[in-house]
Amino acid sequence: FYDTTTQVNSVADADNIITFNTTAEAFNVSIVSGSRITFAKGGTYNIQFSAQFDKTDAGNDDVDVWLAYTGSNVPWSNTQITLAGNNAKYVGIYAVKKLIFY
């Protein structure tokens, strides 16, 4: 799953949910409501994703990336990055290994 749009952080210090608008391949996995990864069958899953951040103002900003399950952040899934200066860019690759869904 991926998204072809620019997703803007319109409110600082607020949760911004990453959305998807394109499915490349899927077998028993789907996107619901644009942002919820849904599994048709229970099991153990390895979730990996990448995200590009593009800063458009001066100063330094911290970005926290969490995986959430049923609306709550998954413990130990946070990554924090710091973007420094205007036009700072960062591509992060994240992996959450072994999530078990019933």
Side-chain angles (χ1 to χ4, degrees), residues 47 65-79 95-101:
I47 299 174
V65 179
W66 289 89
L67 181 67
Y69 176 66
T70 65
S72 298
N73 292 338
V74 174
W76 304 106
S77 70
N78 180 42
T79 298
V96 177
K97 299 176 184 177
K98 196 173 182 181
L99 287 178
I100 302 172
F101 298 97

Side-chain angles (χ1 to χ4, degrees), residues 7-41:
Q7 298 184 36
V8 178
N9 177 19
S10 57
V11 179
D13 296 326
D15 291 344
N16 292 279
I17 297 171
I18 295 173
T19 58
F20 309 94
N21 67 8
T22 305
T23 299
E25 284 184 55
F27 182 73
N28 289 327
V29 181
S30 60
I31 298 296
V32 175
S33 300
S35 63
R36 296 181 185 135
I37 301 169
T38 304
F39 302 92
K41 296 184 179 186

Side-chain angles (χ1 to χ4, degrees), residues 73-97:
N73 292 338
V74 174
W76 304 106
S77 70
N78 180 42
T79 298
Q80 185 179 77
I81 60 170
T82 299
L83 297 169
N86 191 23
N87 293 320
K89 293 179 177 33
Y90 180 87
V91 175
I93 299 173
Y94 309 92
V96 177
K97 299 176 184 177

